Amino acid sequence: MILRMSSLFVRTLRDDPNDAEVPSHRLLVRAGYIRRIAPGIYTWLPLGLRVLRKIEGIIRDEMDAVGAQELSFPALLPKEPYEATGRWSEYGDNVFRLQDRKGGDYLLGPTHEEMFTLVVKDLYSSYKDLPLSIYQIQTKYRDEARPRAGLLRGREFVMKDSYSFDIDDAGLEVSYQKHRDAYVRIFDRLGFDYVIVKATSGAMGGSRSEEFLARAAVGEDTYVRCTQCDYAANVEAVAVRPPAVISYDETPLAHAEETPDTPTIDSLVDHLNATFPREDRPWAAGDTLKNVLVVLKHPDGTREPLAIGLPGDREVDQKRLEGQLEPIEVEAMTESELAKHPSLVKGYIGPAVLGEESASGIRYLVDPRVVEGTRWVTGANVAGSHVIDLVVGRDFTPDGTIEAADVRDGDECPHCSEGTLEAARGIEMGHIFALGRKYAEALDLKVLDESGKLVTVTMGSYGVGVSRAVAAIAEGTLDDIGLCWPRDVAPADVHIVAAGKDATIFAAATELAEALSAQGIDVVYDDRAGKVSPGVKFKDAELIGVPTIVTVGRGLADGTVEVRDRASGERLEVAVADAAAHLTGLVRG
Ligand code: ATP
Ligand code: MG
């Protein structure tokens, strides 16, 4: 088919949209692929829609190849199934809720585990019907707190979601592996540079879960890889390996000391080394125990204070903390909330007043490194004083542990403990979960097994961000002159520029466009006559990013056209007579 620039519904823009935070967003708007309607809500223009459809096609292909069957649910859904699984409230502010004229509650589906579970319950009743994998490519709605970067985090977006149904755990493992293999093929075909990392299961519940992250500096996810072994995990899922319990027989008794003018951890450490030197080595920031107060906001609105104890050389990583606690959200404790606990002396809070059994009654969870026998310098609950040599298990016992401390380059690998971790950023493109029986139990999905007994079905859930992929592929391939699509997802195969005023140029360009189209090759043909200069046409071709740009212009006098590779910039003169065959060869690979 031929998309003629003279009539194609597109206007390329010279200026960047002012809300664009990342290059892909800027270029997708400038090149006329998408238009913003409201925060996180976009219109697909013809070029954008073509890329979206290509990506959908690849995903569909690979899902069908592993025997998954496509169906399609509505986005507008009744409340009841989501109430049955608790997600109507757990999803909190992220769900778009609405009412019909009779006052009935509805939502716009943020994800469809409930609906898939119910349709299987509706139609299937026997182990003979399983295993089953079904999927849809459909529009999802989430009222994201921070819609950003155009299609990367939308409030309306396209997702491929599939679900597997098995009679037992062994079956689920097979279904999970099949999906994982299909995802590898999908992301290979989409041309991503990606990593597969361990993930947390979050609000989904379930056991095993992995994410497919496209490596990208603009990504919102941070993952780590080991320098020695094959360990790779989203930082949210990193479980620190706790050090061995230490004997504290020889450790001096705890003693509170005045530590004036030590507002920061560094100043405290300097003061300790000058005034209370340690016998074996100098004090370091990691010897201090910092206690951070936060408030857990439960989905039902209740606010619960929580104290987190961690080594003073680390910070609380909000995403890691929330990853453990989902669907609970975490906020800083306000001054007025702090004031309700007179035992807490700001800046000098120590374990003596923390814990469910303590004066404050505030639950106290510590970093896994804070194990029995470790000795700490921490707040003495008196302004201007710290307690030194406070030992876990001897002087205080926390209520438990939590993974809240930031993970850093150089941290010990929790898997092999020989290598160290290296951190990088990525965009979450896909997520696969071995869900288990949570949804099947909540919605009572049971089938008869071989012996005629009713058993609960076990499920997997597998998502791909389809609209997000458009932006992520753009992000990974663009250069300083524009978009630069991999051939398999490009909106067209060849972009022909008729460069010049001569009728012979237009005649030759038209003939080439038609010859290619007749071969089933998709062509953008810049046939604009009149005032549109070759310079403008080239700029547009570079911006739009079709992988092969053909110039029919000056060379025509010598019987040639110029074929240029958009990505490498390589140019080749090809005889007009051979052009169609040459290009067909290029496109077909
Ligand atoms: P994120 O951590 O990025 O919010 P998620 O964990 O909420 O993602 P899932 O619920 O697992 O995502 O959804 C499956 C896939 O849908 C994700 O892997 C991602 O590619 C895509 N996705 C999720 N939220 C959005 C969004 N707001 N905009 C575009 N794509 C999204
Ligand atoms: Mg999300």
Side-chain angles (χ1 to χ4, degrees), residues 91 94 142 144 153 157 326 428 468:
Y91 253 106
N94 266 326
R142 294 182 187 178
E144 298 276 357
R153 184 169 297 284
F157 59 98
E326 234 176 279
E428 182 189 322
R468 178 178 283 187

Side-chain angles (χ1 to χ4, degrees), residues 256-263 268 271-272 276 345-349 377-388:
E257 302 289 352
E258 286 188 11
T259 51
D261 302 324
T262 56
L268 173 63
H271 181 79
L272 292 171
F276 309 102
V345 181
K346 201 178 168 192
Y348 297 92
I349 298 167
V377 177
T378 187
N381 305 301
V382 174
S385 289
H386 283 88
V387 51
I388 301 174

Side-chain angles (χ1 to χ4, degrees), residues 145-159:
R146 285 171 292 276
R148 80 176 265 282
L151 303 172
L152 284 180
R153 184 169 297 284
R155 295 197 297 163
E156 172 177 302
F157 59 98
V158 182
M159 194 201 287

